[in-house]
Amino acid sequence: MELSNVNWNAARKSVLVLGAGAFAHAIVKKNPLMPAVLYGMHLAEYLIVARKAGKAVWYDDFRCFLNTLVYGFTFWLPMKLEIE
């Protein structure tokens, strides 16, 4: 496994921790604003960039949407950089 792949895997794990933290904050403070904003940004990423990058490497829309929702830009940015 090359070094850049290791860095992206660490970034993906960090995104999972941030997502869990956003949900924990929402539960403790009884305010769903933080996860709503986070997943709203992920939805925008999917609609603007990730769907096109996923189609370029033959990912179906559902897989691309789910991975973008979970990992955000750490999913589609390595694909986009590899394509270009």
Side-chain angles (χ1 to χ4, degrees):
M1 187 165 27
E2 66 185 44
L3 183 61
S4 64
N5 195 16
V6 172
N7 292 338
W8 284 114
N9 287 334
R12 285 186 188 107
K13 289 176 186 172
S14 299
V15 169
L16 290 176
V17 170
L18 288 173
F23 274 107
H25 181 269
I27 291 169
V28 169
K29 298 291 185 178
K30 296 182 172 96
N31 183 357
L33 182 62
M34 193 177 300
V37 169
L38 177 68
Y39 289 106
M41 290 185 331
H42 287 323
L43 178 62
E45 287 177 289
Y46 170 73
L47 294 172
I48 296 168
V49 180
R51 186 172 38 180
K52 190 182 339 176
K55 286 184 185 219
V57 293
W58 300 97
Y59 281 7
D60 63 281
D61 283 341
F62 179 73
R63 179 180 177 188
C64 195
F65 173 73
L66 190 63
N67 281 312
T68 303
L69 197 64
V70 172
Y71 298 115
F73 76 92
T74 62
F75 166 69
W76 60 262
L77 188 59
M79 281 191 309
K80 187 167 173 74
L81 292 175
E82 189 175 306
I83 292 167
E84 292 177 351

